[in-house]
C-alpha cells in the first residue's frame, strides 16, 4: 500500500562516509523493488532495482538489500558525496503496473 | 534519448480555469503513468495507460480530472475546473514492455492554482 508523506525522515552524513537508507514495504507479495533519487526541482531518477528472488544487488557505489522476512529494503551508498544529497524513495510493485512509493528519506551530505 | 518530456514546466492559473498538462513518453515505451506529488501525500499514482489504453484510473481524485493518450507518443492530463488544492507537481513516467521494467520520470509540471 501507500504511505502518506506527512513526515520526511532525514539523514545527515559526512562526505566520504557510507550512507544507509531504509524502507519498510507493505505487500509481502511484491516482486520488484526500485530505489529512486529525487533532487530538488527534478523528477525521480532510477538508481537501482532488485527482484524478489534476490537479496542483494550491487551497482556503482550503491547496494540494495532485500529482506523479505521482515519486508525491509535498504540502500547503501558508499563514500557519500555532496551530489548524493537528495530525497530517496523506495518503490514496490506486484506485476509491474501499480508502483507504490514510500514517503522518502532526505539525505544531506555535509562537506 | 531525450527522456520523458513534460510541458509546461510551470503553470500558474486562477481557480476555475482549465489546466492541460502534456507528456511525451520515451520512444518505444508502451506504458505511461501520471503521478501527483505533494508534501502532504507524497507521490500518488493518478492513472496509467498500457498501449494507449487507460488501465487503472482509480487514483484520479474526482471528475474534474481527465487523462487521454491519443497515440503512443502523447498524453494529456486535464483539470477542469482547477482548484487551489490541485496545486502540486505532476509527473509523467513511461516504461518499456515487461512488468519489471522500471519507470522513467519526466521533470514534472509545477502547478499553482490561486
Amino acid at each position: 500500500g501507500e504511505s502518506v508523506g506527512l513526515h520526511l525522515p532525514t539523514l545527515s552524513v559526512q562526505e566520504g562516509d557510507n550512507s544507509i537508507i531504509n524502507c519498510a514495504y507493505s505487500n509481502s507479495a511484491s516482486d520488484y523493488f526500485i530505489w529512486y533519487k529525487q533532487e530538488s526541482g527534478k523528477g525521480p531518477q532510477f538508481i537501482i532495482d532488485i527482484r524478489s528472488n534476490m537479496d542483494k544487488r550491487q551497482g556503482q557505489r550503491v547496494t540494495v538489500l532485500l529482506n523479505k522476512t521482515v519486508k525491509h529494503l535498504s540502500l547503501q551508498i558508499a563514500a557519500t558525496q555532496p551530489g548524493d544529497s537528495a530525497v530517496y524513495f523506495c518503490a514496490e510493485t506486484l506485476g509491474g503496473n501499480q508502483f507504490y512509493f514510500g514517503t522518502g528519506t532526505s539525505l544531506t551530505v555535509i562537506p | 534519448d531525450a527522456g520523458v518530456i513534460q510541458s509546461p514546466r510551470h503553470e500558474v492559473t486562477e481557480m476555475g480555469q482549465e489546466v492541460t498538462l502534456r507528456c511525451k513518453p520515451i520512444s518505444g515505451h508502451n506504458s505511461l503513468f501520471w503521478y501527483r506529488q505533494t508534501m502532504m501525500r507524497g507521490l500518488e499514482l493518478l492513472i496509467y495507460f498500457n498501449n494507449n489504453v487507460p488501465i487503472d484510473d482509480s487514483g484520479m481524485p474526482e471528475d474534474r480530472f481527465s487523462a487521454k493518450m491519443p497515440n503512443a507518443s502523447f498524453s494529456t492530463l486535464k483539470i477542469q475546473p482547477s482548484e487551489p488544492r490541485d496545486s502540486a507537481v505532476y509527473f509523467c513516467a513511461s516504461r518499456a514492455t515487461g512488468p519489471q521494467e522500471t519507470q522513467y520520470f519526466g521533470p514534472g509540471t509545477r502547478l499553482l492554482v490561486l
Side-chain angles (χ1 to χ4, degrees), chain B residues 71-90:
Chain B
N71 57 63
S73 60
F74 183 67
S75 177
T76 60
L77 177 67
K78 184 177 292 186
I79 307 172
Q80 181 184 20
S82 59
E83 297 182 2
R85 60 191 168 123
D86 302 330
S87 298
V89 182
Y90 291 81

Side-chain angles (χ1 to χ4, degrees), chain A residues 2-6 31-32 34 36 38 41-44 46 49 51 89 95-99 101, chain B residues 9 33 35 37 39-43 45 48 50 56 91 95 99-103 105-107 110:
Chain A
E2 300 177 33
S3 299
V4 177
L6 295 177
D31 58 5
Y32 183 52
I34 307 170
Y36 285 93
Q38 186 175 21
K42 298 183 179 180
F46 170 85
D49 60 359
R51 291 168 171 74
F89 292 95
N97 285 319
Q98 286 279 11
F99 279 73
F101 288 79
Chain B
R9 294 294 311 277
F33 305 77
Y35 290 88
Q37 187 176 43
M39 288 298 294
M40 286 299 294
R41 298 183 64 82
L43 201 58
L45 177 66
Y48 73 91
N50 278 350
D56 186 348
F91 288 105
R95 175 169 64 81
Q100 293 185 335
E101 290 287 341
T102 192
Q103 298 181 12
F105 284 76
R110 293 183 177 274

Side-chain angles (χ1 to χ4, degrees), chain A residues 20-41:
Chain A
I20 299 177
I21 300 172
N22 297 302
C23 175
Y25 64 92
S26 58
N27 188 350
S28 58
S30 291
D31 58 5
Y32 183 52
F33 306 86
I34 307 170
W35 278 102
Y36 285 93
K37 172 186 180 182
Q38 186 175 21
E39 297 176 277
S40 180

Side-chain angles (χ1 to χ4, degrees), chain B residues 2-24:
Chain B
V4 176
I5 299 172
Q6 291 186 246
S7 65
R9 294 294 311 277
H10 302 273
E11 177 80 27
V12 181
T13 190
E14 291 185 343
M15 181 175 63
Q17 297 297 306
E18 175 181 300
V19 175
T20 300
L21 311 181
R22 297 173 175 80
C23 175
K24 176 177 168 47

Side-chain angles (χ1 to χ4, degrees), chain A residues 57-76:
Chain A
R57 191 165 188 221
Q58 288 184 293
Q60 186 177 15
R61 282 202 308 118
V62 294
T63 300
V64 55
L65 299 177
L66 174 63
N67 185 332
K68 295 183 288 293
T69 302
V70 295
K71 294 189 290 185
H72 183 268
L73 199 66
S74 70
L75 176 71
Q76 301 177 2

